[in-house]
Amino acid sequence: MAGGIAAYKACELLRRFTESGHDVTVVPTAAALEFVGAPTWAALSGKPVATDVWSGVHQVPHVRIGQQADLVVVAPATADLLAKAAHGLADDLLTNTLLTARCPVVFAPAMHTEMWEHAATRANVATLRERGCVVIEPAEGRLTGKDTGKGRLPEPGEIFELCGQVLARGSGALDLAGRHVLVSAGGTRERLDPVRFLGNRSSGLQGYALARAAAARGAEVTLVSANVALPDPAGVKVVRIETTGELLDAVTAETGSVDAVVMAAAPADFRPARVSEAKIKKAADGSAPAIELVQNPDVLAKISQDRARADQVIVGFAAETGDDTGSVLELGRAKLARKGCDLLVVNDVSGGAVFGSADNEAVILGADGAAVEVARGSKSALAHVIWDEVVRRLAP
């Protein structure tokens, strides 16, 4: 870790790694120890801590640590550390370790907004990404002192989740590096009055899993989030919306710059024709109010048929139960043809399955006739299968 005030958050990240069974060696810079002392890191990791290449010289730590690591995580990564890494400088144990590492390397930057946006930092980040490193986009929020903006270290739990996915995929798995993708998640709400709304049961878990997976594969990720109470995935730009109309506006505002769109959100098909300015009261005679509905725009069909870019890959989701008109897969194939997207992820949601669950199963249908069955497993596992199918269809 480098010498930034966010070093205190790295204690939580270290705890998550050690409690999940990982063997962790902490390599701080001298500046990092000004924020959190060596005894803390030694106690949490169960290993001695050194910053220079002269401690334990007989074990050649400046070479061995990098050679033996399965993953190197730099959190926080300051502007100074990113510059040293990009230019191959090696003046302490951490920068020597970065030069000898042949495993995946993840940088979690944390600095003031002006430093993150400086042309030199942006160039250094681009260089590291071109070399196959994962450089997580910083979060937005409170910084040192009274400052607020982009540059905040993402939450340790989200960094840990991303690192776990990078570690599982190994070296050479950044097949979305250089790509910009958009994911939508959650369920839209349509206002009835100041208190009530029409909504659905979508939790947003699958969409957030898709965003995390794309970030772990090196993509720049924009997540359009509809009414979701989940922590922001590390390195992901989150755009919050409420209604289907807002979903359409947010998605169409981004489609011109993205390589792929995955519409995992569940938009409301209908909205009230009129929204009451006052809370709708109960009638004295016990009668229920009549609510007239009008159809919402079909976001998936619109972006599929009016493509901002001809080379885009567009993915939709279909939550089906099957009925007298056809089975779940038959309805899914009909929807794929009707929507005009490239891939459709079909979920059987009979009995409320999938919603709010950590697991999922699906069949991924392709406009080219492909059908990929994904057995029940984590939503993260399904997310990676979906991205596998997207990558196969992306233009070189």
Side-chain angles (χ1 to χ4, degrees):
M1 79 207 61
I5 185 63
Y8 77 93
K9 286 187 175 181
C11 296
E12 171 66 14
L13 181 59
L14 172 58
R15 186 187 66 80
R16 287 177 179 266
F17 275 116
T18 55
E19 289 189 355
S20 60
H22 295 286
D23 179 18
V24 183
T25 298
V26 179
V27 184
T29 64
L33 296 185
E34 295 292 329
F35 294 96
V36 181
T40 298
W41 302 118
L44 289 173
S45 67
K47 293 184 177 182
V49 172
T51 64
D52 59 66
V53 298
W54 307 111
S55 301
V57 174
H58 64 288
Q59 295 177 324
V60 201
H62 71 290
V63 174
R64 292 288 179 262
I65 294 173
Q67 287 179 334
Q68 296 173 357
D70 298 304
L71 178 70
V72 174
V73 184
V74 184
T78 60
D80 178 67
L81 190 283
L82 293 173
K84 289 179 177 179
H87 291 278
L89 301 181
D91 59 356
D92 59 13
L93 187 56
L94 176 54
T95 48
N96 273 269
T97 297
L98 290 172
L99 282 182
T100 58
R102 294 298 179 265
C103 59
V105 178
V106 176
F107 292 92
M111 63 196 73
H112 270 70
T113 306
E114 295 82 0
M115 300 174 74
W116 173 253
E117 293 177 348
H118 194 283
T121 304
R122 303 309 300 158
N124 291 331
V125 168
T127 296
L128 292 169
R129 286 173 173 164
E130 287 171 4
R131 292 178 187 159
C133 300
V134 177
V135 184
I136 304 172
E137 287 288 313
E140 295 187 20
R142 185 70 178 268
L143 305 173
T144 305
K146 297 180 180 180
D147 293 340
T148 300
K150 189 168 186 177
R152 182 181 175 88
L153 186 74
E155 291 307 306
E158 290 300 318
I159 298 174
F160 175 74
E161 176 68 28
L162 183 145
C163 289
Q165 296 197 33
V166 173
L167 187 59
R169 291 181 61 78
S171 300
L174 301 181
D175 50 7
L176 287 174
R179 303 287 192 175
H180 183 189
V181 303
L182 182 145
V183 177
S184 69
T188 62
R189 296 174 178 175
E190 305 299 335
R191 304 178 189 95
L192 283 167
D193 62 22
V195 177
R196 305 178 181 91
F197 59 85
L198 297 177
N200 58 65
R201 294 181 60 191
S202 177
S203 65
L205 289 171
Q206 186 63 72
Y208 273 59
L210 281 155
R212 289 189 186 94
R217 295 169 79 142
E220 176 187 352
V221 186
T222 299
L223 174 62
V224 180
S225 177
N227 309 297
V228 170
L230 297 171
D232 291 351
V236 172
K237 173 188 174 184
V238 180
V239 178
R240 290 179 174 79
I241 56 95
E242 182 177 359
T243 68
T244 300
E246 292 170 357
L247 174 64
L248 176 61
D249 291 343
V251 170
T252 53
E254 297 279 353
T255 50
S257 65
V258 299
D259 299 288
V261 181
V262 182
M263 294 295 296
D269 293 328
F270 305 96
R271 69 182 187 276
R274 289 171 295 279
V275 179
S276 175
E277 293 184 1
K279 180 182 176 181
I280 301 171
K281 303 297 192 295
K282 291 181 180 179
D285 61 4
S287 61
I291 299 173
E292 180 186 356
L293 299 178
V294 295
Q295 191 163 305
N296 267 326
D298 190 324
V299 181
L300 178 60
K302 182 171 180 57
I303 65 170
S304 297
Q305 294 161 16
D306 302 332
R307 295 184 183 235
R309 286 171 45 182
D311 61 346
Q312 274 179 344
V313 177
I314 298 178
V315 184
F317 272 69
E320 296 289 353
T321 59
D323 55 28
D324 293 341
T325 65
S327 66
V328 167
L329 278 184
E330 288 170 340
L331 293 172
R333 290 190 178 95
K335 181 173 284 189
L336 174 64
R338 188 169 66 251
K339 302 288 188 180
C341 52
D342 302 294
L343 294 165
L344 190 73
V345 183
V346 182
N347 292 129
D348 185 342
V349 295
S350 302
V354 175
F355 297 117
S357 171
D359 295 331
N360 202 351
E361 61 183 307
V363 178
I364 305 172
L365 301 177
D368 54 7
V372 178
E373 293 188 24
V374 184
R376 190 163 191 83
S378 70
K379 288 184 174 177
S380 176
L382 174 59
H384 280 290
V385 177
I386 293 169
W387 286 121
D388 288 342
E389 294 302 308
V390 169
V391 168
R392 291 191 184 99
R393 290 163 174 80
L394 285 171

